[in-house]
Every structure is written in C-alpha cells, then in structure tokens.
Amino acid sequence: MSFTEGPQAAIALYRSVLDTAGNRIGNIYRGDLLANLASMYSDMNDHRRAVIEIDQSLAAYGAALDTTSMAQAHLFKATALWGLGDRAGALDQVNLCLQRSKEKDLNAHATRKAAQYLHSMGRDAEAYDMLMTHAQLNDSLAREKFSASTA
C-alpha cells in the first residue's frame, strides 16, 4: 500500500490483519499492529482513539514481557495525551518510558521530549535538568558511534 492512499486505508488494512489473524499472531506482532493503528489515528488528529489503540498495544507488549516496545509505546502515548491537552498524563508517560527503557537512544529521545514538555509547562528548572541529561546521553551515543566506526 502506498502512503498516498492515506491513513484510512492503512487503518482498514491493520484492522483486517488483526481480525483475520485473531489469536494466531504473537503478542509482539499484535502490539506492533495496534501501535501502527494508533499512529494512523494520531496522523488524523484523533488522539483519543490513538490512546485507546496504544493502551491495547501496551497490554500486548506487556503480555510478551517486551519492555523496550512498552517504553516506545509509552513515549507515543505521551504525544497523544499531549495532543488531548493532558499535560500531566503526557509527562507521566515519558517518565514510564524512561523507567522501562534500557536503550540510550530511546532515553535520549524521551529526555528531550520531557524537557520540551516541562518547559511548556513553565517548569524551567526541571526542563534544564532534563535537557542536560539529554545532552549527556547524546554525547555518549556519539562517542559509541565514533568508537564503532573507528574499530
């Protein structure tokens, strides 16, 4: 399917796969499909529906004990909640992402998002601290990439 067919076509496809596969697909694949559905709803600015789908995705990832995918889903849910105006809920989801993630690149992304959210909420001292954590993570990632490229 091409991107030009739009989110409605993608939603129909994801729903069809979920309906056809039923319980025959694994929890991680189900979680991925539900996360993609959430993304499509978010693209259409239907953040309420995106939250519903991402919550189902979180449940599927939880059943599979896939904490990395759960962390990514929490970060996505933060964006949807922010779109709904739930600032505190969005920040809580970023914090859940940081608690669950062991991936430096995901943590770097989450700390940057947290800094942006905190700044928008007028909590500039906390935003600054989070921005400094983000900078440290980015520096560490850059050093790792440089070391890998020179090895």
Side-chain angles (χ1 to χ4, degrees):
M1 171 182 345
S2 75
F3 180 72
T4 59
E5 292 181 50
Q8 289 290 358
I11 287 169
L13 176 64
Y14 294 136
R15 283 273 169 233
S16 174
V17 171
L18 284 165
D19 292 345
T20 302
N23 291 329
R24 295 177 302 208
I25 60 173
N27 285 318
I28 293 173
Y29 185 52
R30 177 177 303 285
D32 290 346
L33 288 168
L34 290 162
N36 286 331
L37 271 170
S39 178
M40 293 298 103
Y41 283 115
S42 185
D43 286 351
M44 297 180 345
N45 290 318
D46 188 348
H47 300 296
R48 182 194 59 77
R49 186 66 194 189
V51 169
I52 291 168
E53 300 298 342
I54 207 66
D55 280 343
Q56 291 179 40
S57 177
L58 278 163
Y61 292 141
L65 304 176
D66 184 349
T67 56
T68 299
S69 294
M70 288 179 76
Q72 291 169 335
H74 283 300
L75 198 56
F76 182 84
K77 185 175 179 180
T79 302
L81 288 172
W82 191 266
L84 289 171
D86 183 357
R87 305 306 190 227
L91 192 55
D92 287 344
Q93 291 300 310
V94 172
N95 287 327
L96 283 169
C97 171
L98 289 167
Q99 289 170 15
R100 288 207 161 108
S101 175
K102 293 175 180 46
E103 306 288 328
K104 279 186 188 176
D105 55 343
L106 182 57
N107 288 345
H109 185 69
T111 55
R112 182 176 50 102
K113 184 172 284 223
Q116 291 169 335
Y117 286 177
L118 288 163
H119 175 69
S120 293
M121 296 166 76
R123 295 165 59 180
D124 290 335
E126 292 169 272
Y128 177 79
D129 290 343
M130 198 59 71
L131 196 57
M132 291 298 100
T133 301
H134 169 71
Q136 291 169 346
L137 286 166
N138 268 352
D139 286 347
S140 177
L141 284 167
R143 280 192 302 276
E144 287 175 11
K145 287 178 185 175
F146 179 76
S147 294
S149 70
T150 59

